[in-house]
Amino acid sequence: MVRVKHRYLLLNFLYPTPDTTSTYKETIPELLQFNHPTSDQLNIGLLLKAIRGGVTELFGDYGVGVVNQGLKVNYLSTATSTAIIRCPRAHYQLVWAALTFMTKWPRPIDQPVVVKIVRVSGTIIKVEEEVIRRAKKIIERAKLADGTADAEGPVANIVKAARRRTERDVLVEVDEDRDRDSESDE
Amino acid sequence: MFYDLNVPWTDNNRELQRTIAFLDELGYDVVALTHTISGKLPADLTSPVPLPLPFSTPSRLRLLRRCNIFLNDAATNHRIPQLQQQYDILAARPTDEKTLRQACDTLDIDLISLDLTQRFQKHFKYKMFSTALSRGVRIEICYSQGILASDTTAKRNLISNVVQLIRVTRGRGLVLSSEAKSVLGLRAPSDVINLASVWGLGQERGKEGLTKEARSVVEFSRLKRTSFKGVVDVIYGGEKPVDGSAGKNENNKQNKVKRANAEAQKKRKADSMEGTPLSQSGEDKPLSKREIKRKKQQARLEGQQKGN
């Protein structure tokens, strides 16, 4: 059977500018400020609108036409500021670039935002695994920053905090096109 | 290791702290804080960037100082070598064709950072940039102006200039950096690489622009500052011998004499390899064994003759 090929992108919304609404902003560690929850006003329709707007701005009607067919929001969690979107495999880079160029949520929220792509995969299972892995990691980091991590004692925590990042931690893992050659057969 | 070699420095400490924390969050390891000098160079060239910074910074982030100079006139750039001692990286921003040529061909700088939001009168030439690359001067692409710019012409110019630069340099020797006027202009390394690949720079090249090329800029400029003619650098010269007691000194002396004797017996001294050759230095050539034998025999013969 012929299948339409997709790419699933895992997005992470970051908020680098100080939050003007909360009053106790100075006391929160920066890690939590950057990863603070997204406004509840963000729903799937609004996210799609933002993506389409971005693609139109960068790639015009052609870009939207090419991307629009397979664009879908599979998962959106405002509490953890993550989302999984699906887009056509041939043009996932357009969507990625449009998200990179995004600096602000559309009208009703109107909040500055930086969108970071965390994982690109051909199957949604891998992306879901990554979501869970990242959630665990960020809780660990928040505890480290807070000083409340106590599982392995203070020495282990210091070692963990000082450990250098490897390239793999930073770079997005993009799944290879294993079946590019078989594309013509379909 | 990911590098962002262009983060504008401000004396607004809170904003700077946020920017640096966000860069750490995104996964950068080395960040250069840029101080821009436009127009005439001031009398006092010392960097206004205090290092270490007056607030706590993430421990794994390395901070560098960088200077951006606007090249307005080709004639007034003779004090650049003095700047080199004050900053970790020296970048030039040529404003016209003539200064761009000068920056590529002769100026002693580390980076050429063009203002890509402008429209340039002429096409970039491969020859010009290839001389720059062969001298070890890299070319910088700042992506943030394209993200933050509100007017579309700036964005368009940026993209067209970047595409041209990629075409002209064949993707070699390009450094990707942000030049973000605010925190919102910063992007994670992978996002930048993807952006570059949309603009026509391959994935691998894009990654090199954030890692390998940027590192070579930092290391070259460090070598230029600290080493002898940018070639030889003494990392650890060893400790000076400590003067011990008198008896030890005597011992040393004896050792020295012994060593001198041993050296004299050697056929050729090691240091005669460099410096003036033996034939010119007037030093006695050590006798070969054959020569010694021959002389002995001669002496014996002479003794026999006398005896006769």
Side-chain angles (χ1 to χ4, degrees), chain A residues 16 33 57 96 100 165 172, chain B residues 18 24 155 187 190-191 197:
Chain A
Q33 284 187 45
E57 202 189 323
W96 189 346
T100 307
R165 269 177 301 228
V172 168
Chain B
R18 266 200 112 68
D24 179 58
K155 217 177 260 190
R187 288 296 179 272
S190 291
D191 293 341
S197 102

Side-chain angles (χ1 to χ4, degrees), chain A residues 48-111:
Chain A
L48 273 179
K49 195 180 141 196
I51 295 169
R52 285 208 194 98
V55 176
T56 324
E57 202 189 323
L58 263 187
F59 303 104
D61 291 337
Y62 163 75
V64 178
V66 134
V67 157
N68 213 0
Q69 185 77 86
L71 198 65
K72 188 188 167 193
V73 177
N74 287 71
Y75 170 78
L76 174 66
S77 154
T78 50
T80 55
S81 290
T82 48
I84 300 175
I85 62 166
R86 190 189 75 179
C87 47
R89 187 180 73 175
H91 306 284
Y92 78 94
Q93 284 198 316
L94 303 192
V95 181
W96 189 346
L99 284 167
T100 307
F101 266 84
M102 203 156 103
T103 50
K104 211 177 191 187
W105 286 122
R107 186 63 34 185
I109 307 175
D110 231 13
Q111 195 183 9

Side-chain angles (χ1 to χ4, degrees), chain B residues 16-72:
Chain B
L16 195 64
Q17 186 176 14
R18 266 200 112 68
T19 310
I20 287 168
F22 193 59
L23 279 162
D24 179 58
E25 168 77 20
L26 289 177
Y28 289 98
D29 298 290
V30 182
V31 169
L33 298 173
T34 308
H35 172 64
T36 307
I37 300 176
S38 53
K40 236 181 141 188
L41 289 180
D44 181 26
L45 289 178
T46 48
S47 157
V49 185
L51 270 189
L53 289 165
F55 46 84
S56 72
T57 52
S59 58
R60 53 186 168 190
L61 206 69
R62 207 173 111 213
L63 292 166
L64 302 171
R65 283 171 301 187
R66 157 178 164 158
C67 180
N68 241 3
I69 351 163
F70 276 77
L71 300 178
N72 298 319

Side-chain angles (χ1 to χ4, degrees), chain A residues 168-179:
Chain A
R168 275 192 58 200
D169 296 338
V170 179
L171 274 189
V172 168
E173 200 178 329
V174 180
D175 285 357
E176 298 294 319
D177 288 343
R178 265 181 243 102
D179 42 10

